[in-house]
Amino acid sequence: MKYCFYFIGLLLLFVSCQKKLSFEETTYNKKSTYLCDDKCPEINVIIPIATGDAEVSDSINKKVFNVLKEIVYFGEKPYTATTYDSLLVAFINSYEKLKAEFPEDKFGWEANIEGSIKYQTDSILNIEINHYSYTGGAHGYQGKRSLLFNPKTGKNIENQELFKNYKEFEAFAEKKFRFQFKIPANHGINATKFMFEDDKFQLPLNMFFTDKGLLLYYNRYEIASYADGPQELLLTYDELKGYLLFK
């Protein structure tokens, strides 16, 4: 009988390990050879693919893929691709279609996207996506995306769900922002170099969990000029004790 319990225990342990959330870094690449010589348009994607519990990993992978569809596209609407391979093909096809219409022009398209696990605890999973793309113009666009998940369910966590009271946190963050960038309290938030809409402070779309605290990250163009680059504000976890629900 004791051997029976022993094997049952091993089986339960095996099943538990099989369902544990983990990630496999996966690389995708596609390069055009259409009417190009040296620097042919190319797209590279390195992304963590969730494995383990099917429901949890599928939810995470679906969200990550949909965000990449928003990042990697040329035209009015995101591509209808359903796999990473077909997404890369769609990007290269967009270039080749444009090149066929304007064969004498030089476009130099490229895209590089790299995802990584930025932060992970029992209550929060933060995937960071660094991306750069160039599809013509004076310069390309480089940015970061923060994707937040409940690691137990795989469900996406919106920024508003991170805090006990979102408006109170926003007011606190504005005070810290003004202090860091030396903006007087009796002046508009755009009194110096910033370009917040309607001259009102707004929290960024992207917030990153780090070992030191919560990083508020504004990509280029969000609140400042391209030349000023991205803007950052780091708030320590001690400062956030009265606001933050996850850590």
Side-chain angles (χ1 to χ4, degrees):
M1 179 66 69
K2 65 179 181 180
Y3 292 110
C4 180
F5 286 120
Y6 174 75
F7 285 115
I8 291 175
L10 285 179
L11 179 61
L12 292 174
L13 179 62
F14 175 76
V15 171
S16 176
C17 291
Q18 286 291 95
K19 289 189 175 184
K20 185 178 180 181
L21 180 65
S22 60
F23 293 88
E24 296 178 0
E25 185 178 276
T26 308
T27 301
Y28 301 90
N29 170 270
K30 183 68 178 176
K31 189 173 185 178
S32 175
T33 58
Y34 181 69
L35 297 179
C36 65
D37 298 320
D38 297 328
K39 194 175 181 181
C40 296
E42 185 175 10
I43 177 170
N44 296 287
V45 172
I46 302 174
I47 207 75
I49 303 296
T51 62
D53 183 279
E55 185 176 353
V56 174
S57 58
D58 287 350
S59 178
I60 294 172
N61 291 333
K62 183 178 179 179
K63 176 63 178 180
V64 173
F65 180 73
N66 285 336
V67 168
L68 258 71
K69 285 175 66 175
E70 297 173 5
I71 295 172
V72 183
Y73 78 96
F74 180 81
E76 296 180 356
K77 298 180 180 180
Y79 298 125
T80 58
T82 56
T83 66
Y84 283 104
D85 286 324
S86 60
L87 180 61
L88 271 60
V89 168
F91 178 81
I92 294 299
N93 284 348
S94 293
Y95 158 77
E96 293 181 350
K97 180 180 178 180
L98 190 63
K99 186 66 175 177
E101 295 176 5
F102 306 97
E104 301 302 320
D105 291 348
K106 294 183 178 180
F107 300 107
W109 277 31
E110 66 174 303
N112 292 287
I113 301 164
E114 183 171 357
S116 61
I117 307 303
K118 179 75 173 181
Y119 187 87
Q120 185 175 5
T121 66
D122 291 338
S123 61
I124 193 85
L125 167 68
N126 191 179
I127 295 178
E128 175 181 298
I129 298 178
N130 285 286
H131 58 94
Y132 171 81
S133 60
Y134 177 78
T135 55
H139 47 71
Y141 180 75
Q142 186 170 11
K144 292 183 179 183
R145 289 288 298 269
S146 175
L147 304 181
L148 301 167
F149 300 94
N150 181 329
K152 295 184 179 68
T153 65
K155 300 300 182 184
N156 181 228
I157 299 175
E158 301 293 340
N159 289 348
Q160 290 83 350
E161 300 175 275
L162 294 174
F163 308 99
K164 297 175 184 178
N165 188 304
Y166 190 74
K167 285 297 181 181
E168 287 182 5
F169 171 71
E170 186 174 44
F172 167 75
E174 179 175 358
K175 291 179 181 179
K176 301 295 291 188
F177 187 93
R178 284 178 176 273
F179 178 80
Q180 176 170 309
F181 293 102
K182 299 178 174 60
I183 305 171
N186 59 344
H187 286 66
I189 197 69
N190 294 336
T192 55
K193 66 179 179 180
F194 296 108
M195 300 181 294
F196 283 94
E197 187 176 356
D198 298 327
D199 200 19
K200 293 182 179 180
F201 177 82
Q202 294 179 350
L203 291 168
L205 297 175
N206 297 284
M207 302 183 188
F208 293 96
F209 282 77
T210 74
D211 291 337
K212 296 181 179 179
L214 187 69
L215 179 67
L216 307 188
Y217 189 88
Y218 297 88
N219 280 296
R220 278 187 170 92
Y221 294 124
E222 285 187 24
I223 60 170
S225 69
Y226 178 86
D228 286 323
Q231 306 295 316
E232 301 181 3
L233 175 64
L234 179 65
L235 302 173
T236 67
Y237 291 121
D238 283 342
E239 294 176 296
L240 297 172
K241 282 182 179 178
Y243 302 98
L244 199 59
L245 290 173
F246 301 89
K247 183 180 175 183

